[in-house]
Amino acid sequence: MDNNTPLTIESIITQYASYIYNLSLKLSANPDKAEDLAQETFIKAWANISAVKNEDAIKSWLRTICINEFRMMIRKEKRGAMGYAESMDELEHDGEFLVDPRPLPIDEVQVAEEVAKLRDGCFLAMTRKLTLNQRMVFSLIDMFGISINETSQILDLTPKAVKGLLYRARMNLESFFNDHCSFMDIHNPCQCTAWIEFMKDRNTFQEKLRQKKAYLDYQEKGYVHNPEAGRKMLYYYRNLPEQRPSQEWFDKIAALLYDPSSS
């Protein structure tokens, strides 16, 4: 942001709307909730904009607000399964197994646009099957590139515990996709093209996902890390396309900022 430009909520939204919306989307794994979460983040920012002293810290300030608003949203929903609490000792032990995967020289699979959308939607939806802490750590580190140390400060956890959560999140997702997704292995039973008809009715697809267990647990089936599958899984997550809030979202937040009675 230009230091000569007055700091206003309009300029902040213009510059950071897509970033905060995509963070909201990764955390909530739900487009409708993502718009609500991004909206609440900017409303809270607007109410506290006078507290901003360092314009270079706006991005991290907004990120913190967004994460806190997400936690509040989860508490209101009282979704116990998503709040599944791991043992701190076990997490710190698991953190010893975390290894940064080597970059994978993979060519993007060329597929029809509708299949690509389904694949990306499926990958995003499965993050909802992680425990709440696993989802937040995985989103912040593997989707947004935030460091382990900064994530530990945001979540008030030890770096070892954060590493343990990241290890579990990666293993849970890798375990699921390695056994199901044809993008991991062409011999797997799930073929995106078979879902296209179902996707004509979005609710059908969502119901299929809801029928799966509340959260993933790779330990239940004794899954052993597959480095190639793990690198593929992270490649697809890290390359999920960035999305932009709808024009209706911009119109609604503008109305709320200038006329709070419109909410």
Side-chain angles (χ1 to χ4, degrees):
M1 185 177 294
D2 188 339
N3 290 332
N4 295 322
T5 303
L7 185 62
T8 65
I9 192 62
E10 295 92 336
S11 61
I12 290 176
I13 292 174
T14 298
Q15 185 162 355
Y16 296 107
S18 290
Y19 176 80
I20 292 299
Y21 174 73
N22 279 275
L23 176 60
S24 299
L25 183 59
K26 302 301 190 300
L27 291 173
S28 66
N30 182 301
D32 295 332
K33 290 181 180 179
E35 290 201 351
D36 291 341
L37 181 56
Q39 173 184 296
E40 291 304 314
T41 297
F42 284 111
I43 289 175
K44 183 65 65 69
W46 177 59
N48 295 278
I49 195 171
S50 61
V52 178
K53 305 300 181 184
N54 181 3
E55 293 187 14
D56 293 334
I58 289 176
K59 189 174 184 179
S60 61
W61 175 63
L62 289 172
R63 183 169 62 227
T64 299
I65 294 174
C66 184
I67 293 169
N68 288 336
E69 289 297 310
F70 172 66
R71 285 167 155 170
M72 290 178 60
M73 181 181 76
I74 291 294
R75 289 195 204 103
K76 290 177 181 177
E77 293 178 355
K78 298 180 179 179
R79 298 175 64 181
M82 290 292 105
Y84 174 78
E86 294 97 339
S87 159
M88 185 66 68
D89 289 339
E90 290 179 0
L91 287 179
E92 295 198 346
H93 175 265
D94 283 354
E96 298 174 4
F97 300 111
L98 180 70
V99 177
D100 286 331
R102 300 189 312 275
L104 182 65
I106 182 174
D107 292 327
E108 174 63 24
V109 178
Q110 297 300 312
V111 296
E113 183 179 356
E114 58 185 358
V115 173
K117 287 181 178 179
L118 175 57
R119 177 203 62 199
D120 295 341
C122 182
F123 272 66
L124 183 59
M126 289 316 296
T127 62
R128 297 180 66 180
K129 302 301 178 182
L130 299 175
T131 67
L132 180 58
N133 284 333
Q134 287 176 22
R135 191 201 309 178
M136 288 195 292
V137 166
F138 181 76
S139 298
L140 293 175
I141 296 175
D142 277 340
M143 291 185 175
F144 283 85
I146 298 171
S147 71
I148 286 175
N149 285 337
E150 185 175 356
T151 300
S152 71
Q153 293 172 4
I154 292 171
L155 301 181
D156 195 23
L157 294 169
T158 66
K160 280 189 176 180
V162 169
K163 289 181 180 180
L165 286 165
L166 184 59
Y167 174 78
R168 290 188 176 192
R170 288 178 178 177
M171 286 290 284
N172 281 327
L173 292 169
E174 176 191 319
S175 172
F176 175 82
F177 286 112
N178 188 53
D179 288 346
H180 294 83
C181 181
S182 62
F183 285 95
M184 299 293 106
D185 184 340
I186 60 173
H187 300 297
N188 276 330
C190 186
Q191 301 290 329
C192 284
T193 52
W195 283 90
I196 296 301
E197 290 301 316
F198 286 105
M199 279 299 289
K200 291 179 180 178
D201 178 358
R202 181 181 173 190
N203 292 331
T204 301
F205 178 60
Q206 292 180 336
E207 182 59 31
K208 289 286 184 181
L209 291 175
R210 280 195 293 268
Q211 290 171 5
K212 297 184 183 295
K213 62 179 299 179
Y215 58 88
L216 300 173
D217 187 352
Y218 71 95
Q219 295 174 318
E220 283 189 356
K221 62 179 183 180
Y223 179 77
V224 177
H225 174 52
N226 179 332
E228 182 179 359
R231 289 196 293 271
K232 283 185 178 180
M233 182 271 295
L234 286 176
Y235 171 86
Y236 286 121
Y237 271 108
R238 289 171 177 173
N239 287 279
L240 288 173
E242 183 174 278
Q243 300 189 43
R244 180 177 170 80
S246 65
Q247 184 58 49
E248 289 77 13
W249 180 86
F250 282 98
D251 294 341
K252 182 177 180 181
I253 197 169
L256 288 169
L257 291 175
Y258 293 108
D259 182 11
S261 65
S262 65
S263 60

